[in-house]
Amino acid sequence: MIAETGLIALWLAAALALLQFALGAIGLRAERNDYYAAIRPVAVAQGLFVSLSFLLLIWLFLRSDMSVRLVVMNSASVKPLLYKFAGTWGNHEGSMLLWVTVMGLAGAFIALFERSLNKRTLVATLAAQAFISLGFYAFLLVSSNPFERMFPVPADGQGLNPLLQDPGLAFHPPTLYFGYVGLSVAFSFAVGAMITRDVGAAFAKAMRPWVLGAWIFLTLGITAGSYWAYYELGWGGWWFWDPVENASLMPWLAATALLHSVTVLATRDSLRAWTLMLAVVAFSMSMIGTFLVRSGILTSVHAFAVDPERGSFILALLAIYIGGAMALFALRVGTVKEGKRFELVSREGALVANNLLLSVILALVFIGTLYPLLVEAVTGDKLSVGPPYFNLATGPLALLLVAVMAAGPLLRWRRDNPKALLNRISIPILITAAALFALALFTTGMSILALLGLALAAGVAVASFAPLWKRNLRRTPLHTYGMVIAHFGIAVALVGMACESSFTEERLVAAQPGDEIAVNDWKLKFEAIEPMAGPNWTALEGRITAQYGDGAIHEITPQNRMFAAAQTQTSEAALLTRWNGQLYVVLGDGDSEGRWQIRVWWKPFVTLIWYGGILVALGGFLAMVGRLRRGYKQRKQREFVEATL
Amino acid sequence: MNRWLLWLPLVLFGLFFAAVATGLIMPKDNIIESKMVGKPMPTFALPAAIEQRPGLSSNDLVKGKPTLLNIFASWCVPCIAEAPQLLELQKAGVEINAIASRDTPEDIANFLNRWGNPYTRIGTDTTSKVQLELGSSGVPETFVIDGNGIIVHQHIGDIRQEDIDKLLELLEDAG
C-alpha cells in the first residue's frame, strides 16, 4: 500500500501544480485579487504532497520492498543502510522525484516567506515555478513511475552501481540537485519579472538568496564530485573535463556570473537585461546538463542511467522552457529600461568584465562538450575533445578572471580613478611579480600556465583581504567577510591546482611482497597481499607501509574490490594525507609470477584544491546569512515605522 | 541594443536543439569492432575451465589448421541461442576452442551439460583480461583464426543459422 499511497500523493501534487499554474495565469490576466490570495496555500499544499511522495519512496527503499521495480533494480537487502537510503536517488526515477520535490518545497517556501516582492511578480513567479514542475510531474507519471510494482516478486534486488557505493557520492547528487533547483527558482523569478515587466532592485533582492543558495550547493557539489572522482576512480587526477563533470561546471559558471550581476542589479539597479539573460542561461545549463547525463547522448566515463526515450522527453521539456523563456526575453527585454549607467573603471565595470569572462569560459566549455556530438551529427565521425583543448582554451581566461577578481572589490561603485586603483592594488601586484620571479628562478618544469597561476594566487590571496583594510572590523557587514573568504578560497584552490599539475611525482612498478618503492622523500614497502570481505564485496588488499624521510611509519591499504551482484571491479585507492600533500596508492592487477602492479603518486598540496572549494562555499554561506539577516532587520524596521505612523 | 540581437540566444538554442535532436534520432552504433583483425593473436595461457577439457593457450591456435575461438559465459542468454549452431559447426569438422568469461567451473559445467559441448579446449578468463586483449567487449563473440594464429574475422553476437555458411567459407579460405 505504501507504493500506491506514494503514487496517489504524486498525482495530487501534480494536480495542485496544475491548479497553481492556472490560478496564476488566469489571475494575472483578469487581475483577480482572490486568485492571488489562493495561490499561496496551493503552492504550500503542492510542496507537502510531493514531499510525502518522496518520503514514501525512501521508506520503500529502507524496508527493501522487492515488489517495487525501482527498489529491485537499485537496491539489495544486504546493502548497508546508508546506501539503501541513498539508493532512493541513485537512479533515474528517484533523482527526478527528488528534483521535483525540492522544487515543490522551494515553491512552498516562496509562498510562505517572500514578502519584499511586488504581489503580481510573486504570483507570476509561482505560476512559472508550477509550470516547470508540471513537466517533471508528467515525466514521472507517464514514462518513469518510481512506484511501479513488479510481478513476480524477485527474491532479492540487483544492488546499486558499486562505484556509487561511497558515502561521499551518496550525498553528491542531492547537493547538485539543490543547486539546480535553486537556479530553477531564479529562472522562475526572471520569467515572472519579464511577464510583469517589473525588473528592478526589489526583484533582484528577492532573487539573490536563491541564486546564492544554488551557487553554494553547486560549489559544494562540484568540490565533492571532484574529490570523489579523484579517490574513487583510481586514476589520480582531480578533473578530467568529462561531459558529466562539465554538466555540473557549466551551471556553476553561469550561476557565478549571475550571482555577481544580480548584486549589481540589487545595489545599483543596473544590468537588468543581462541579469535576466543570465538567470535564463543558468537554469538552461542545469537542464542541459541533466539532459546530457541522462540521455546517453554523450559517452562518458561515468555512464549512468541512459535511455533515448527519456532523453527525448527531457529534450522536449528543454525546448518548451528554455525556448519559451528566450522568446519571452526577446519580446520583453526591449521594453525593460536598462537602468542606471556607469563608467568603465568602476565596480560595475569590473563585474561586467567578470561576467563577460565567465560567459566566454562557459561558451568554450559548452562548445568543447558538444563538439563531438555536432561532428557526429554532420559527418558521422566519432571523436572526443580532451583536457588539452579545455586547459588551453579556458586556462588563460580563468587567470585573467582571477586577476579581475582581485581588483574588483577594491573599486568604487559608478566611477573610479585608474591611478587611485593602481595605488590600492600595488601591494598584490608586487607580491605577484616577486612570486613569479622566485618561481622562475628556483623551480624547473613548470608550465607557463601553472607558473602564472601560482604567482597570481599569491597576489590574490593578499588582495582578497584588502577590502577589510583600514575598516572597523566589527562594523563590517557579514556579506563582505563572505566575499573575502570566497575570493581567498579561489586563491587557495589555485595554489593546489598549480602545485598538483607541476610537482606531482609518479611511480608505476610491478612489485612482489617485500619490495621497496621510493617516490619523492617517501619510502614505501610492499608488505603483503591479503583477501578481505566486506558486506557485499570481496577484495584483495595490499598492505603497504610508508615512511617520510626518517619519520613515523604509516600503514596504507589499497584495495581491489569485486562486487558479486553486479560483476564489477573497483579500485579503492589508499590515501595518506599530510599537511604538505597526499600520497596516493593504487593496487592494480597481479600477474602469474606473483607481482602486483602498484601505482604511487606524491601530490604536493593537492588537498588545497578541495579546501579552497570548501572556503568558497563557506564564503557564500556567510554572505547568505549576512544578507538574510540584514533583509530581516530592514523589514522589521519598516514595519515598526509603518506601525508608529 | 539592437532588437534582432535579442533573438540571438533563441537562435543559438535552436541550433543546439537541432544538433541534439538529430543525435537522439540517429541510431547509436555501439558495436565495438576489434582492432586485432588481421593481426596475430596476443600470447596468453588460460587454465582449464572444467575438468573434462584442457585449458587454452595461444600456442594451441597455431597448429596449421584454421579454428574458431568462441567467447561465451553461462550467464549469457544469446550464448544459449547460438549453442545449436556451434554443435552443427563441430559436426562439420570445425575445431572450436572457447574462452569462458567471468564464470565459475560449476556454472560452466551445468551450461555445457544442458546445451551441449562443442569445444575442444576451454580456458577460463575470470577477469576478462584475455577477452579485452583480443579486442572483444561482449559475449558471445567468435573469432576465425587461421593456422598461423592470425585473426581473420570477428563475429559479434550470437551465431545464427544463416551465419554458418559464411563462417565455413572463411575457415576454408584461411586454410
Side-chain angles (χ1 to χ4, degrees):
Chain A
M1 273 312 284
I2 304 169
E4 282 68 29
T5 315
L7 189 59
I8 292 168
L10 192 60
W11 273 105
L12 282 174
L16 286 164
L18 185 64
L19 180 62
Q20 182 179 335
F21 171 67
L23 281 173
I26 302 168
L28 279 175
R29 186 150 291 239
E31 310 236 353
R32 293 274 298 264
N33 260 320
D34 49 341
Y35 279 45
Y36 296 169
I39 200 166
R40 287 186 188 217
V42 171
V44 174
Q46 189 217 325
L48 288 178
F49 273 107
V50 70
S51 307
L52 174 66
S53 177
F54 186 62
L55 288 175
L56 289 172
L57 188 66
I58 293 179
W59 193 11
L60 288 171
F61 268 85
L62 288 182
R63 44 177 280 165
S64 296
D65 187 331
M66 291 304 165
S67 69
V68 176
R69 178 182 288 276
L70 194 65
V71 179
V72 176
M73 303 309 267
N74 297 287
S75 196
S77 52
V78 295
K79 233 166 47 155
L81 193 66
L82 173 69
Y83 300 119
K84 286 187 186 171
F85 183 62
T88 316
W89 55 76
N91 61 76
H92 169 81
E93 286 84 351
S95 60
M96 285 290 142
L97 184 57
L98 172 66
W99 179 310
V100 78
T101 302
V102 183
M103 257 169 78
L105 284 174
F109 199 85
I110 298 172
L112 284 173
F113 299 109
E114 182 52 56
R115 290 284 177 267
S116 54
L117 205 58
N118 144 345
K119 195 192 280 170
R120 278 171 52 82
T121 309
L122 177 68
V123 170
T125 302
L126 283 176
Q129 180 83 353
F131 184 67
I132 301 172
S133 295
L134 273 175
F136 285 91
Y137 283 124
F139 190 21
L140 281 163
L141 293 169
V142 173
S143 86
S144 334
N145 174 9
F147 296 104
E148 196 187 335
R149 295 276 191 184
M150 190 170 185
F151 295 105
V153 176
D156 205 344
Q158 300 184 344
L160 180 71
N161 180 346
L163 277 178
L164 305 183
Q165 286 206 22
D166 176 272
L169 207 67
F171 296 100
H172 171 59
T175 312
L176 276 183
Y177 270 31
F178 285 133
Y180 288 171
V181 174
L183 290 179
S184 91
V185 177
F187 175 84
S188 305
F189 270 110
V191 170
M194 283 194 280
I195 288 172
T196 58
R197 293 190 175 86
D198 174 35
V199 187
F203 150 76
K205 279 182 184 146
M207 182 161 101
R208 181 160 58 187
W210 294 96
V211 178
L212 198 50
W215 181 80
I216 294 166
F217 278 113
L218 286 176
T219 307
L220 283 176
I222 292 175
T223 307
S226 156
Y227 192 61
W228 170 80
Y230 168 80
Y231 75 74
E232 181 68 31
L233 299 182
W235 54 283
W238 57 275
W239 192 263
F240 194 67
W241 296 104
D242 179 86
V244 170
E245 293 173 347
N246 292 348
S248 66
L249 179 66
M250 291 189 289
W252 184 84
L253 289 168
T256 309
L258 176 60
L259 182 64
H260 291 91
S261 81
V262 84
T263 298
V264 177
L265 185 54
T267 30
R268 299 282 313 150
D269 198 7
S270 198
L271 299 184
R272 287 177 173 175
W274 183 242
T275 303
L276 289 175
M277 190 70 243
L278 279 177
V280 173
V281 167
F283 176 62
S284 306
M285 287 302 152
S286 353
M287 285 287 288
I288 289 174
T290 310
F291 166 74
L292 292 180
V293 176
R294 293 281 165 201
S295 65
I297 197 154
L298 291 175
T299 26
S300 151
V301 291
H302 329 248
F304 296 133
V306 291
D307 181 343
E309 189 195 328
R310 288 169 178 169
S312 315
F313 206 117
I314 304 183
L315 190 61
L317 291 184
L318 268 175
I320 297 169
Y321 300 154
I322 302 175
M326 285 179 170
L328 189 66
F329 176 83
L331 288 170
R332 283 290 165 89
V333 158
T335 62
V336 171
K337 284 220 183 82
E338 196 30 62
K340 300 210 173 86
R341 306 196 68 86
F342 51 87
E343 305 257 319
L344 190 63
V345 181
S346 64
R347 178 82 72 89
E348 290 96 322
L351 285 167
V352 169
N354 141 311
N355 269 227
L356 289 177
L357 284 166
L358 280 165
S359 305
V360 175
I361 294 174
L362 171 61
L364 290 169
V365 175
F366 187 75
I367 291 169
T369 309
L370 288 167
Y371 185 69
L373 194 71
L374 200 68
V375 170
E376 200 182 335
V378 175
T379 65
D381 291 339
K382 286 185 187 182
L383 57 83
S384 60
V385 177
Y389 161 80
F390 287 106
N391 289 340
L392 195 67
T394 62
L397 290 172
L399 289 185
L400 199 57
L401 180 66
V402 172
V404 172
M405 182 190 88
L410 301 175
L411 281 156
R412 291 178 208 285
W413 289 108
R414 214 152 61 83
R415 57 133 55 103
D416 204 343
N417 180 347
K419 256 194 193 148
L421 167 69
L422 211 61
N423 217 357
R424 262 171 263 149
I425 57 168
S426 54
I427 293 176
I429 290 179
L430 279 176
I431 289 175
T432 305
L436 198 60
F437 186 69
L439 285 168
L441 215 59
F442 297 113
T443 63
T444 48
M446 282 189 88
S447 75
I448 292 284
L449 222 52
L451 190 72
L452 288 173
L454 204 51
L456 197 57
V460 169
V462 175
S464 53
F465 284 100
L468 298 178
W469 182 249
K470 285 186 183 165
R471 272 182 87 148
N472 182 340
L473 292 183
R474 291 188 54 191
R475 299 202 51 178
T476 305
L478 195 53
H479 60 81
T480 304
Y481 281 107
M483 176 190 73
V484 165
I485 289 175
H487 285 188
F488 179 66
I490 297 276
V492 170
L494 194 57
V495 172
M497 294 172 195
C499 287
E500 196 271 347
S501 79
S502 303
F503 307 126
T504 292
E505 289 182 40
E506 182 183 359
R507 292 278 175 288
L508 173 61
V509 293
Q512 276 173 321
D515 287 358
E516 291 200 353
I517 309 159
V519 55
N520 191 267
D521 284 336
W522 287 89
K523 279 200 306 269
L524 281 79
K525 189 162 182 227
F526 184 18
E527 303 282 353
I529 194 138
E530 284 157 4
M532 283 271 298
N536 57 348
W537 44 265
T538 57
L540 286 171
E541 184 175 272
R543 272 207 299 119
I544 296 174
T545 51
Q547 189 180 21
Y548 189 74
D550 297 322
I553 295 176
H554 306 273
E555 190 177 71
I556 48 177
T557 51
Q559 291 179 351
N560 217 332
R561 284 190 191 169
M562 272 300 291
F563 286 79
Q567 290 264 345
T568 314
Q569 219 172 342
T570 69
S571 162
E572 297 290 309
L575 299 179
L576 189 63
T577 309
R578 300 281 85 147
W579 67 272
N580 59 345
Q582 253 180 352
L583 193 66
Y584 186 121
V585 182
V586 178
L587 178 68
D589 288 333
D591 68 11
S592 48
E593 286 144 47
R595 284 189 306 218
W596 297 81
Q597 270 189 16
I598 297 178
R599 192 177 273 256
V600 183
W601 283 281
W602 169 244
K603 292 177 172 291
F605 299 107
V606 64
T607 41
L608 292 184
I609 297 174
W610 305 292
Y611 286 135
I614 293 169
L615 276 178
V616 173
L618 176 70
F621 179 72
L622 290 180
M624 175 120 154
V625 172
R627 295 278 187 207
L628 289 176
R629 209 172 56 183
R630 170 177 278 201
Y632 179 76
K633 273 189 190 154
Q634 282 171 348
R635 196 160 62 239
K636 281 282 167 238
Q637 260 169 10
R638 207 166 49 231
E639 278 166 14
F640 177 74
V641 172
E642 277 162 14
T644 46
L645 275 175
Chain B
M1 207 189 298
N2 271 329
R3 284 307 299 266
W4 66 266
L5 209 61
L6 294 176
W7 292 96
L8 190 66
L10 187 62
V11 173
L12 290 178
F13 176 70
L15 286 177
F16 163 79
F17 182 84
V20 173
T22 39
L24 266 186
I25 294 161
M26 275 198 321
K28 260 266 191 244
D29 178 20
N30 278 330
I31 294 169
I32 299 166
E33 278 176 40
S34 171
K35 295 204 166 76
M36 300 296 292
V37 174
K39 292 188 183 153
M41 139 108 15
T43 15
F44 64 86
L46 289 173
I50 53 170
E51 284 174 5
Q52 297 84 350
R53 293 285 188 279
L56 182 70
S57 79
S58 41
N59 290 335
D60 298 324
L61 302 168
V62 286
K63 297 210 169 135
K65 193 181 143 205
T67 52
L68 286 184
L69 176 59
N70 178 245
I71 300 173
F72 80 105
S74 66
W75 42 265
C76 140
V77 178
C79 296
I80 300 171
E82 76 170 359
Q85 282 73 255
L86 285 174
L87 287 168
E88 201 178 323
L89 281 163
Q90 187 207 17
K91 280 206 191 91
V94 180
E95 181 184 326
I96 308 175
N97 294 294
I99 291 177
S101 176
R102 294 183 172 255
D103 225 330
T104 62
E106 303 83 60
D107 289 346
I108 299 170
N110 286 339
F111 180 88
L112 296 175
N113 281 338
R114 187 143 178 221
W115 308 108
N117 185 348
Y119 304 123
T120 312
R121 296 160 179 281
I122 310 174
T124 180
D125 188 15
T126 45
T127 56
S128 295
K129 192 163 167 278
V130 175
Q131 182 181 13
L132 291 175
E133 280 175 8
L134 280 165
S136 154
S137 58
V139 275
E141 274 188 30
T142 307
F143 290 91
V144 180
I145 296 163
D146 77 1
N148 302 319
I150 309 283
I151 299 174
V152 187
H153 176 76
Q154 178 194 24
H155 181 96
I156 296 170
D158 54 323
I159 297 172
R160 305 195 178 169
Q161 197 59 45
E162 60 267 29
D163 299 323
I164 288 182
D165 288 342
K166 193 190 167 200
L167 285 174
L168 286 173
E169 206 173 295
L170 280 164
L171 284 162
E172 184 113 348
D173 292 347

